[in-house]
Amino acid sequence: SSLIVTCKYRFKYFRSCINFMVNDKSLLLDVLGDTTELRVIDFLLDNLFISVYKNEIIQRTGLSRNSFFRVWKKLERYKIVKPIKQVGRATLYQLNEENDFVKWLVRTDLTLIEQSVITLTEKPIKASISHI
């Protein structure tokens, strides 16, 4: 249990403190493709511990309402997202951390970020060694 919490905070640290972008895309979108589904999931990964409204996701991802709701139905059907709390008529949502696909995505995203850190730290070392 404490290992899971440690991994969650480690993941959140990498996602929030180090903004890895390639051509204005996150690493996850750059590697897996910039699809509507992945834009929504990527936004929710960035806000892994924060519950969000559907309207916030629409605004922050820049998707049309039609595109968002077409994708949202799939995410609900496969239990990738879960409702957290009802506030009036609106509902707050998060990624479903119990879903195996979400677990895989979290591991994949963290791996991409860690590999990028390693790549960034290796470049100066290789450059200095080649000049010797």
Side-chain angles (χ1 to χ4, degrees):
S1 175
S2 64
L3 178 62
I4 292 171
V5 171
T6 302
C7 289
K8 285 181 183 177
Y9 285 107
R10 183 173 151 204
F11 176 76
K12 181 66 175 176
Y13 174 78
F14 278 120
R15 289 284 297 190
S16 64
C17 295
I18 304 170
N19 186 15
F20 286 101
M21 304 290 278
V22 179
N23 299 325
D24 296 326
K25 290 183 196 173
S26 72
L27 283 172
L28 190 69
L29 294 179
D30 190 54
V31 171
L32 297 179
D34 189 356
T35 66
T36 306
E37 291 87 348
L38 283 175
R39 277 193 197 186
V40 172
I41 291 170
D42 190 54
F43 173 79
L44 292 170
L45 277 171
D46 282 341
N47 298 284
L48 191 59
F49 304 110
I50 301 169
S51 301
V52 294
Y53 295 105
K54 291 177 187 175
N55 280 336
E56 182 179 358
I57 299 169
I58 292 168
Q59 290 172 352
R60 302 273 303 276
T61 58
L63 297 171
S64 71
R65 292 184 71 78
N66 288 338
S67 294
F68 171 79
F69 282 107
R70 186 180 65 250
V71 164
W72 192 257
K73 287 178 186 178
K74 283 191 236 178
L75 298 179
E76 285 183 317
R77 181 175 1 145
Y78 293 110
K79 297 184 183 353
I80 293 170
V81 294
K82 65 180 178 181
I84 297 298
K85 181 179 175 183
Q86 190 78 25
V87 180
R89 291 184 355 189
T91 305
L92 290 160
Y93 292 89
Q94 282 183 340
L95 282 177
N96 181 1
E97 297 173 39
E98 302 300 316
N99 182 292
D100 288 336
F101 179 69
V102 171
K103 290 176 185 178
W104 176 82
L105 277 171
V106 169
R107 283 192 311 270
T108 300
D109 197 34
L110 183 57
T111 300
L112 288 170
I113 292 168
E114 287 176 339
Q115 287 177 350
S116 294
V117 169
I118 291 168
T119 302
L120 288 173
T121 58
E122 286 178 348
K123 283 183 180 178
I125 294 169
K126 287 181 180 177
S128 62
I129 292 174
S130 65
H131 287 75
I132 295 177

